[in-house]
Amino acid sequence: MDTYDIRKVVNAVNADVRAQDIADTFLALGYIWTAKGEDHLYEPGIPSLMDYILAIARDRGEPI
């Protein structure tokens, strides 16, 4: 998952919220981790979060 995926989901819910702020909060809480060597790619700290984000993208017909 990259910041673009997070931005799509956040903007769909509230366009006034910065996606990076959400990513930073998720990182701090351990919901996601920065992928090794990539500051813009994330791995799920909690796999169900990744499933949730990807399901929203699939429901909207967006490429994954």
Side-chain angles (χ1 to χ4, degrees):
M1 173 174 67
D2 64 21
T3 51
Y4 178 74
D5 297 317
I6 296 171
R7 190 178 310 116
K8 286 188 301 188
V9 172
V10 170
N11 285 339
V13 175
N14 185 345
D16 296 329
V17 176
R18 278 181 15 115
Q20 190 59 54
D21 292 340
I22 297 296
D24 292 343
T25 299
F26 285 166
L27 281 166
L29 294 172
Y31 290 132
I32 59 176
W33 302 332
T34 302
K36 194 172 196 172
E38 300 287 341
D39 63 349
H40 66 286
L41 294 177
Y42 301 99
E43 297 176 0
I46 299 174
S48 62
L49 175 65
M50 179 72 76
D51 292 340
Y52 175 75
I53 291 172
L54 293 175
I56 289 173
R58 274 196 286 291
D59 288 346
R60 294 176 183 206
E62 297 174 4
I64 299 174

